Amino acid sequence: MSDATPLRIAVCVVTRHRPTELARLLASLDRLRVPAGSSVEVVVVENDDPRDDPPPRCALPLRRVFEPRAGIPFARNRALDEAAPSSDRIVFLDDDETTEPDLLERLLAAERAFDADCVTGPALPAFPADAPAWAARSGAYDPPRHATGTRRGFAYTNNVMFRSALVRDGALRFDESMRFTGGSDKDFFARFAARGHAIVWADDAVTHEWYPRARLTHRWLFMRSLRLGTVAMKTEGLRGPRARASLLWRAVRFAARAVVRGLGRIHDPNAALALAAWDAGRACGLVLGAFGGRYDEYASR
């Protein structure tokens, strides 16, 4: 690609029945700085039957398509089909997020600095005005953080950019058997890394994940972590009896951590319960997943 040819970036968003959240994200994209020598198109994939209502609005060029087959991986694959042929980089964001204006600049800077095929960064929690104080205080909603340049074995679609050419042949797809379980993004990028493609962390490339009041409960933390546990065998490519034993041992460690972290914050009961709910949920999910159980978190959407 010559210096005179713009780097074509496709920002892909999958959504379903969340117009308010989508509008908030697109409003943040209005403030997104387009890196020098680049062009940006937003691709919104609505996981729904086609309809004729007015399309969402964004200051950037926007293309709206519909994927009628219900299930997140169907919509993600449709995004690949739409974006890969006409772009050089694909960015995935979730519809319940907002971005910092320098997101693309930070992602591209990390790509150049570390010769990466894929760059991912943190999705920091954002809470409504009526959020219970323990949600932020507990840290239960905080994502892991890493030093910029850290090599990672997977990524998520809440903040990621990768080279379109690496998926253009269609050989790497989101697993459609995971249509309602969640985890198809982690599974996709784990297989991406297993092909020898470098995924690196950019800690200064920040998005914000907005948590509605309904998700600020101890039950939600338990069930979300349980779901992550049930898909661990799949997303981590584990197979056979040894894998099951490994999951069960991890479940024991999470159960022990639930007790330790809960007791460690006993002076702050709601925060303690949040941490214990997260760890206990993961322990239960790992046991359930080890024996073939599943939790279709997204089946009712």
Side-chain angles (χ1 to χ4, degrees):
M1 180 180 298
S2 70
D3 292 339
T5 304
L7 184 74
R8 301 166 300 173
I9 302 172
V11 176
C12 297
V13 181
V14 168
T15 189
R16 178 177 171 84
H17 302 165
R18 296 210 286 196
T20 301
E21 291 85 348
L22 178 62
R24 182 177 57 203
L25 169 61
L26 295 179
S28 77
L29 294 184
D30 288 345
R31 300 185 293 273
L32 192 67
R33 292 201 294 266
V34 177
S38 302
S39 65
V40 175
E41 178 188 35
V42 178
V43 179
V44 173
V45 179
E46 299 210 30
N47 195 197
D48 200 359
D49 293 323
R51 58 184 189 276
D52 295 327
D53 60 321
R57 301 180 63 181
C58 184
L60 294 167
L62 185 146
R63 181 155 43 107
R64 178 201 203 189
V65 296
F66 293 89
E67 173 49 62
R69 295 174 296 171
I72 296 173
F74 291 117
R76 288 172 174 159
N77 282 334
R78 180 63 183 272
L80 292 181
D81 294 339
E82 295 291 332
S86 58
S87 70
D88 303 300
R89 300 292 185 272
I90 295 173
V91 174
F92 269 103
L93 300 171
D94 286 349
D95 66 353
D96 56 359
E97 295 182 301
T98 54
T99 67
E100 288 294 317
D102 63 355
L103 177 68
L104 297 181
E105 295 170 332
R106 299 294 187 180
L107 292 172
L108 286 170
E111 177 189 280
R112 290 191 295 267
F114 301 100
D115 192 25
D117 299 305
C118 173
V119 183
T120 185
L124 304 182
F127 303 113
D130 64 344
W134 63 261
R137 195 170 62 236
S138 69
Y141 293 86
D142 294 346
R145 304 288 293 270
H146 313 280
T148 295
T150 301
R151 189 78 172 257
R152 302 293 295 151
F154 58 87
Y156 299 103
T157 55
N158 60 6
N159 184 0
V160 67
M161 181 187 75
F162 55 97
R163 299 179 187 271
S164 306
L166 299 177
V167 299
R168 199 169 286 146
D169 63 2
L172 186 61
R173 307 279 286 174
F174 292 94
D175 188 340
E176 293 174 353
S177 72
M178 304 177 75
R179 63 187 304 186
F180 297 133
T181 63
S184 66
D185 52 351
K186 183 178 180 180
D187 169 70
F188 174 91
F189 286 107
R191 288 183 284 117
F192 182 97
R195 290 170 173 247
H197 305 319
I199 302 176
V200 301
W201 184 264
D203 202 54
D204 57 357
V206 174
T207 63
H208 301 275
E209 181 175 357
W210 289 82
Y211 284 89
R213 187 65 178 81
R215 291 188 174 191
L216 303 179
T217 68
H218 301 104
R219 182 183 186 280
W220 185 88
L221 283 167
F222 178 90
M223 297 304 295
R224 171 55 60 97
S225 194
L226 180 142
R227 192 268 292 169
L228 293 172
T230 62
V231 298
M233 184 172 286
K234 170 65 176 173
T235 60
E236 298 175 23
L238 303 176
R239 300 288 185 274
R242 288 187 178 180
R244 179 178 294 172
S246 174
L247 291 181
L248 293 175
W249 173 237
R250 283 166 59 188
V252 170
R253 286 157 49 199
F254 268 103
R257 197 175 80 162
V259 175
V260 171
R261 294 212 296 177
L263 291 176
R265 299 285 291 274
I266 195 66
H267 60 283
D268 190 352
N270 278 318
L273 185 56
L275 295 171
W278 184 261
D279 290 339
R282 189 65 54 88
C284 293
L286 288 166
V287 173
L288 186 62
F291 293 98
R294 56 188 291 165
Y295 168 46
D296 289 341
E297 181 180 5
Y298 298 101
S300 60
R301 291 192 178 185

